Amino acid sequence: MKRIGIIGGTTPESTCYYYQNYIRIGREKFGSFNFPELIVYSINFEEFKNNPRGWEGRAEMLIKAAKALEKAGAEIISLSANTPHIVFPEIQKAIKVPMVSIIDALIEEMKRRGVRKVLLLGTKTTMTADFYRNALREAGFEVMTPGEDEMDEVNRIIFEELAFENLESEPYLVDLIERYAREKGIEGVILGCTELPLAIKPGDVSVEVFDTAAIHMRKLIELASDF
């Protein structure tokens, strides 16, 4: 099996969730103790989030992490968060090891489930920037995002609550998704921030739930095991 490299720390809680899925999915596929080798490079999220040079500085941090994973023997590399995919192409260009995009894995899963109209939730950057929505629309999906005030609240919940495993705003998120299902006819919701699955699970709402962290980890394990 190939050795997986994950750039984590964005945030630490979401990286833990990736590892939990690594264990769960690995056991489903291979049994109790048989897993692909895994290396995690956990960056300093404070330095990342508040980088004075913005996305240029953040990209440099992620490239440094990717090169360290490559040097350590990782054979496939991923980012354990959605928003940093804004600089995914720059990171891939800086290393020789193939990277696995969370967006590509999501698109593959959405096609498999036959869902076309979805609500995208995530950080405000993910919900407003073109890199995520355009990829989905080019793949044939109708993508909705919340209103401005709702975006601000979802972003606040992610950074002020879910990043610290505080789930008190779970009812707000459920109500938001159900309202878009009822009023806008969405067929699914994309948990486009890897902290959101801490609060929303399949069955919590009446539409399909796309847990991008779990989908991404499953794709990584499939590629690592070549099946």
Side-chain angles (χ1 to χ4, degrees):
M1 288 190 279
K2 293 185 176 72
R3 185 178 294 121
I4 300 169
I6 292 179
I7 301 173
T10 52
T11 60
E13 283 71 17
S14 67
T15 308
C16 288
Y17 185 65
Y18 261 74
Y19 196 79
Q20 289 168 358
N21 277 284
Y22 164 76
I23 296 169
R24 178 180 61 81
I25 295 167
R27 285 179 175 160
E28 286 176 8
K29 299 296 182 185
F30 312 118
S32 298
F33 302 115
N34 190 18
F35 300 93
E37 293 182 5
L38 175 69
I39 309 168
V40 178
Y41 187 115
S42 187
I43 67 171
N44 185 324
F45 189 61
E46 178 70 25
E47 292 179 9
F48 182 83
K49 184 174 183 292
N50 299 314
N51 195 290
R53 294 170 53 232
W55 279 106
E56 182 180 354
R58 295 183 192 116
E60 288 181 2
M61 290 181 67
L62 297 172
I63 288 169
K64 176 184 175 184
K67 287 183 174 179
L69 288 170
E70 185 176 43
K71 187 176 181 180
E75 296 168 275
I76 51 174
I77 292 175
S78 67
L79 302 167
S80 66
N82 287 266
T83 303
H85 277 70
I86 199 168
V87 292
F88 182 94
E90 292 94 317
I91 305 166
Q92 179 63 91
K93 286 177 186 176
I95 61 174
K96 296 178 182 178
V97 172
M99 293 185 65
V100 181
S101 164
I102 199 170
I103 302 173
D104 290 346
L106 169 65
I107 287 171
E108 185 179 307
E109 179 65 12
M110 289 172 68
K111 287 180 177 178
R112 188 187 71 79
R113 295 197 211 175
V115 171
R116 287 292 164 186
K117 187 173 183 180
V118 291
L119 175 67
L120 172 62
L121 299 182
T123 66
K124 194 163 186 180
T125 299
T126 294
M127 290 186 285
T128 58
D130 290 337
F131 78 100
Y132 212 106
R133 293 178 302 173
N134 284 356
L136 293 169
R137 286 169 179 159
E138 286 170 9
F141 299 103
E142 183 178 351
V143 184
M144 303 196 69
T145 50
E148 187 74 21
D149 291 344
E150 294 165 338
M151 282 190 191
D152 288 339
E153 180 61 6
V154 172
N155 193 74
R156 185 200 67 77
I157 290 168
I158 289 168
F159 286 110
E160 295 183 11
E161 296 182 14
L162 298 181
F164 302 98
E165 298 184 276
N166 178 348
L167 305 182
E168 66 181 87
S169 291
E170 178 183 347
Y172 174 88
L173 295 170
V174 170
D175 289 346
L176 177 66
I177 295 164
E178 291 294 358
R179 180 156 49 80
Y180 273 79
R182 185 172 60 252
E183 298 177 4
K184 304 295 183 180
I186 62 165
E187 302 167 290
V189 59
I190 297 170
L191 305 183
C193 175
T194 46
E195 281 80 19
L196 285 170
L198 302 175
I200 302 296
K201 302 285 191 296
D204 290 346
V205 291
S206 60
V207 297
E208 288 279 340
V209 174
F210 292 93
D211 177 344
T212 54
I215 291 166
H216 198 200
M217 193 71 246
R218 185 175 295 277
K219 187 63 179 180
L220 285 165
I221 288 176
E222 287 175 356
L223 292 172
S225 56
D226 292 322
F227 69 82

